[in-house]
CSV table of all heavy atoms in Angstrom, one decimal:
chain,number,residue,atom,x,y,z
A,1488,LEU,N,-58.7,26.5,-24.6
A,1488,LEU,CA,-60.0,26.1,-25.1
A,1488,LEU,C,-61.1,26.8,-24.5
A,1488,LEU,O,-62.3,26.6,-24.8
A,1488,LEU,CB,-60.1,24.6,-24.9
A,1488,LEU,CG,-59.1,23.7,-25.6
A,1488,LEU,CD1,-59.3,22.2,-25.2
A,1488,LEU,CD2,-59.1,23.9,-27.1
A,1489,VAL,N,-60.9,27.8,-23.6
A,1489,VAL,CA,-62.0,28.6,-23.0
A,1489,VAL,C,-62.6,29.4,-24.1
A,1489,VAL,O,-61.8,30.1,-24.9
A,1489,VAL,CB,-61.4,29.5,-21.8
A,1489,VAL,CG1,-62.5,30.5,-21.4
A,1489,VAL,CG2,-61.0,28.6,-20.7
A,1490,PRO,N,-63.9,29.4,-24.3
A,1490,PRO,CA,-64.5,30.2,-25.3
A,1490,PRO,C,-64.1,31.7,-25.3
A,1490,PRO,O,-63.9,32.2,-24.2
A,1490,PRO,CB,-66.0,30.0,-25.1
A,1490,PRO,CG,-66.1,28.7,-24.3
A,1490,PRO,CD,-64.9,28.7,-23.5
A,1491,ALA,N,-64.1,32.3,-26.5
A,1491,ALA,CA,-63.6,33.7,-26.6
A,1491,ALA,C,-64.4,34.7,-25.8
A,1491,ALA,O,-63.7,35.6,-25.2
A,1491,ALA,CB,-63.7,34.1,-28.1
A,1492,VAL,N,-65.7,34.6,-25.7
A,1492,VAL,CA,-66.4,35.5,-24.9
A,1492,VAL,C,-66.1,35.4,-23.4
A,1492,VAL,O,-65.9,36.3,-22.7
A,1492,VAL,CB,-67.9,35.4,-25.1
A,1492,VAL,CG1,-68.7,36.3,-24.1
A,1492,VAL,CG2,-68.3,35.8,-26.6
A,1493,ASP,N,-66.0,34.1,-22.9
A,1493,ASP,CA,-65.7,33.9,-21.5
A,1493,ASP,C,-64.3,34.4,-21.2
A,1493,ASP,O,-64.0,35.0,-20.2
A,1493,ASP,CB,-65.7,32.4,-21.2
A,1493,ASP,CG,-67.2,31.8,-21.2
A,1493,ASP,OD1,-68.1,32.6,-21.4
A,1493,ASP,OD2,-67.3,30.6,-21.0
A,1494,ARG,N,-63.3,34.1,-22.2
A,1494,ARG,CA,-61.9,34.6,-22.0
A,1494,ARG,C,-61.9,36.1,-21.9
A,1494,ARG,O,-61.3,36.7,-21.0
A,1494,ARG,CB,-61.1,34.1,-23.2
A,1494,ARG,CG,-59.7,34.6,-23.3
A,1494,ARG,CD,-59.0,34.2,-24.6
A,1494,ARG,NE,-59.0,32.7,-24.7
A,1494,ARG,CZ,-58.2,31.9,-24.0
A,1494,ARG,NH1,-57.3,32.4,-23.3
A,1494,ARG,NH2,-58.3,30.6,-24.2
A,1495,ALA,N,-62.7,36.8,-22.8
A,1495,ALA,CA,-62.7,38.3,-22.7
A,1495,ALA,C,-63.3,38.8,-21.4
A,1495,ALA,O,-62.7,39.7,-20.8
A,1495,ALA,CB,-63.5,38.8,-23.9
A,1496,MET,N,-64.3,38.1,-20.9
A,1496,MET,CA,-64.9,38.5,-19.6
A,1496,MET,C,-63.9,38.3,-18.4
A,1496,MET,O,-63.8,39.2,-17.6
A,1496,MET,CB,-66.2,37.8,-19.3
A,1496,MET,CG,-67.3,38.3,-20.2
A,1496,MET,SD,-69.0,37.7,-19.7
A,1496,MET,CE,-68.8,36.0,-20.2
A,1497,LEU,N,-63.2,37.2,-18.5
A,1497,LEU,CA,-62.2,36.9,-17.4
A,1497,LEU,C,-61.1,38.0,-17.4
A,1497,LEU,O,-60.7,38.5,-16.4
A,1497,LEU,CB,-61.7,35.5,-17.5
A,1497,LEU,CG,-62.7,34.4,-17.1
A,1497,LEU,CD1,-62.1,33.0,-17.6
A,1497,LEU,CD2,-63.0,34.4,-15.7
A,1498,LEU,N,-60.6,38.2,-18.6
A,1498,LEU,CA,-59.5,39.2,-18.7
A,1498,LEU,C,-59.9,40.6,-18.3
A,1498,LEU,O,-59.2,41.3,-17.7
A,1498,LEU,CB,-58.9,39.2,-20.2
A,1498,LEU,CG,-58.2,37.9,-20.6
A,1498,LEU,CD1,-57.9,38.0,-22.1
A,1498,LEU,CD2,-57.0,37.7,-19.8
A,1499,ALA,N,-61.2,41.0,-18.6
A,1499,ALA,CA,-61.7,42.3,-18.3
A,1499,ALA,C,-61.9,42.4,-16.8
A,1499,ALA,O,-61.9,43.5,-16.2
A,1499,ALA,CB,-63.0,42.5,-19.0
A,1500,ALA,N,-62.1,41.3,-16.1
A,1500,ALA,CA,-62.3,41.3,-14.6
A,1500,ALA,C,-61.0,41.5,-13.8
A,1500,ALA,O,-61.1,41.9,-12.6
A,1500,ALA,CB,-63.0,40.0,-14.2
A,1501,ILE,N,-59.9,41.3,-14.4
A,1501,ILE,CA,-58.6,41.3,-13.6
A,1501,ILE,C,-58.4,42.7,-13.0
A,1501,ILE,O,-58.0,42.8,-11.8
A,1501,ILE,CB,-57.4,40.9,-14.5
A,1501,ILE,CG1,-57.6,39.4,-14.9
A,1501,ILE,CG2,-56.1,41.1,-13.8
A,1501,ILE,CD1,-57.7,38.4,-13.8
A,1502,GLY,N,-58.5,43.8,-13.7
A,1502,GLY,CA,-58.3,45.1,-13.2
A,1502,GLY,C,-59.2,45.4,-12.0
A,1502,GLY,O,-58.7,45.8,-10.9
A,1503,PRO,N,-60.5,45.3,-12.1
A,1503,PRO,CA,-61.4,45.5,-11.0
A,1503,PRO,C,-61.1,44.6,-9.8
A,1503,PRO,O,-61.2,45.0,-8.7
A,1503,PRO,CB,-62.8,45.3,-11.6
A,1503,PRO,CG,-62.6,45.6,-13.1
A,1503,PRO,CD,-61.2,45.1,-13.4
A,1504,LEU,N,-60.8,43.3,-10.1
A,1504,LEU,CA,-60.5,42.4,-9.0
A,1504,LEU,C,-59.2,42.8,-8.3
A,1504,LEU,O,-59.1,42.7,-7.0
A,1504,LEU,CB,-60.4,41.0,-9.5
A,1504,LEU,CG,-61.7,40.3,-9.8
A,1504,LEU,CD1,-61.5,39.0,-10.6
A,1504,LEU,CD2,-62.6,40.1,-8.6
A,1505,ALA,N,-58.3,43.3,-9.0
A,1505,ALA,CA,-57.0,43.8,-8.4
A,1505,ALA,C,-57.3,44.9,-7.4
A,1505,ALA,O,-56.8,45.0,-6.3
A,1505,ALA,CB,-56.0,44.3,-9.4
A,1506,THR,N,-58.2,45.8,-7.8
A,1506,THR,CA,-58.6,46.9,-6.9
A,1506,THR,C,-59.4,46.4,-5.7
A,1506,THR,O,-59.1,46.8,-4.6
A,1506,THR,CB,-59.5,48.0,-7.7
A,1506,THR,OG1,-58.7,48.4,-8.8
A,1506,THR,CG2,-59.9,49.1,-6.8
A,1507,GLU,N,-60.3,45.5,-6.0
A,1507,GLU,CA,-61.1,44.9,-4.9
A,1507,GLU,C,-60.3,44.2,-3.8
A,1507,GLU,O,-60.6,44.3,-2.6
A,1507,GLU,CB,-62.2,44.0,-5.5
A,1507,GLU,CG,-63.1,43.3,-4.5
A,1507,GLU,CD,-64.0,42.4,-5.2
A,1507,GLU,OE1,-64.6,42.8,-6.3
A,1507,GLU,OE2,-64.2,41.2,-4.7
A,1508,LEU,N,-59.3,43.4,-4.3
A,1508,LEU,CA,-58.5,42.5,-3.4
A,1508,LEU,C,-57.4,43.2,-2.7
A,1508,LEU,O,-56.8,42.7,-1.7
A,1508,LEU,CB,-58.0,41.3,-4.1
A,1508,LEU,CG,-59.1,40.4,-4.6
A,1508,LEU,CD1,-58.5,39.3,-5.5
A,1508,LEU,CD2,-60.0,39.8,-3.5
A,1509,ALA,N,-56.9,44.4,-3.2
A,1509,ALA,CA,-55.8,45.1,-2.7
A,1509,ALA,C,-56.2,45.7,-1.3
A,1509,ALA,O,-57.3,46.0,-1.1
A,1509,ALA,CB,-55.4,46.2,-3.7
A,1510,PRO,N,-55.2,45.9,-0.5
A,1510,PRO,CA,-53.8,45.6,-0.6
A,1510,PRO,C,-53.4,44.2,-0.1
A,1510,PRO,O,-52.2,43.9,-0.3
A,1510,PRO,CB,-53.2,46.7,0.3
A,1510,PRO,CG,-54.1,46.9,1.4
A,1510,PRO,CD,-55.5,46.7,0.8
A,1511,GLY,N,-54.3,43.5,0.4
A,1511,GLY,CA,-54.0,42.2,1.0
A,1511,GLY,C,-53.6,41.1,0.1
A,1511,GLY,O,-52.8,40.2,0.4
A,1512,THR,N,-54.2,41.1,-1.1
A,1512,THR,CA,-54.0,40.1,-2.1
A,1512,THR,C,-53.7,40.7,-3.5
A,1512,THR,O,-54.4,41.6,-3.9
A,1512,THR,CB,-55.2,39.1,-2.2
A,1512,THR,OG1,-55.4,38.6,-0.9
A,1512,THR,CG2,-54.9,38.0,-3.1
A,1513,ARG,N,-52.7,40.1,-4.2
A,1513,ARG,CA,-52.5,40.5,-5.5
A,1513,ARG,C,-53.2,39.5,-6.5
A,1513,ARG,O,-53.5,38.4,-6.1
A,1513,ARG,CB,-51.0,40.5,-5.8
A,1513,ARG,CG,-50.2,41.5,-5.0
A,1513,ARG,CD,-48.7,41.5,-5.3
A,1513,ARG,NE,-48.1,40.2,-5.1
A,1513,ARG,CZ,-47.5,39.5,-6.0
A,1513,ARG,NH1,-47.4,39.9,-7.3
A,1513,ARG,NH2,-46.9,38.3,-5.7
A,1514,ILE,N,-53.4,39.9,-7.7
A,1514,ILE,CA,-54.0,39.1,-8.7
A,1514,ILE,C,-53.4,39.3,-10.0
A,1514,ILE,O,-52.9,40.4,-10.3
A,1514,ILE,CB,-55.6,39.3,-8.8
A,1514,ILE,CG1,-56.2,38.3,-9.7
A,1514,ILE,CG2,-55.9,40.7,-9.2
A,1514,ILE,CD1,-57.7,38.2,-9.6
A,1515,ALA,N,-53.2,38.3,-10.8
A,1515,ALA,CA,-52.7,38.4,-12.2
A,1515,ALA,C,-53.3,37.2,-13.0
A,1515,ALA,O,-53.9,36.3,-12.5
A,1515,ALA,CB,-51.2,38.2,-12.1
Side-chain angles (χ1 to χ4, degrees):
L1488 300 177
V1489 168
V1492 171
D1493 291 357
R1494 176 181 303 280
M1496 287 190 289
L1497 289 168
L1498 292 171
I1501 295 301
L1504 284 169
T1506 301
E1507 179 181 315
L1508 296 173
T1512 303
R1513 297 181 300 119
I1514 187 168

